[in-house]
């Protein structure tokens, strides 16, 4: 997944700016590999549905998706 920047937030999370301009927030307390796998799954499902997200937050039990 192409990205343009990674920022370490004050709460210890990682904010990743994708090359497409979308923002993804990863938790430091969860498996990074599982979070990236979830990101790929969400992105593929949204692509099939013809939708785009602006922000995807994996810090919680269920990802929070902000849509355009």
């Amino acid at each position: 997944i192409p990205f343009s920047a990674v920022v370490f937030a004050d709460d210890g999370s990682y904010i990743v700016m994708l090359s497409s301009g979308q923002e993804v927030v990863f938790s430091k307390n969860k498996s990074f590999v599982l979070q990236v796998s979830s990101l790929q799954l969400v992105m593929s499902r949204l692509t099939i549905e013809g939708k785009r997200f602006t922000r995807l937050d994996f810090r919680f039990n269920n990802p929070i998706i902000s849509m355009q």
Side-chain angles (χ1 to χ4, degrees):
I1 299 174
F3 63 94
S4 59
V6 177
V7 178
F8 300 101
D10 292 336
D11 65 357
S13 61
Y14 305 96
I15 301 171
V16 178
M17 296 301 298
L18 302 182
S19 297
S20 58
Q22 298 159 300
E23 185 177 288
V24 181
V25 182
F26 292 109
S27 171
K28 69 170 184 163
N29 300 320
K30 296 181 181 180
S31 165
F32 185 71
V33 172
L34 291 177
Q35 291 178 87
V36 171
S37 294
S38 294
L39 171 61
Q40 291 174 320
L41 179 63
V42 169
M43 288 179 73
S44 68
R45 286 187 180 172
L46 290 176
T47 299
I48 290 170
E49 295 174 10
K51 299 178 181 175
R52 276 183 53 112
F53 68 92
T54 54
R55 186 168 199 232
L56 186 53
D57 194 333
F58 287 103
R59 293 177 293 173
F60 308 100
N61 288 335
N62 293 317
I64 297 176
I65 303 172
S66 300
M67 305 295 288
Q68 287 183 336

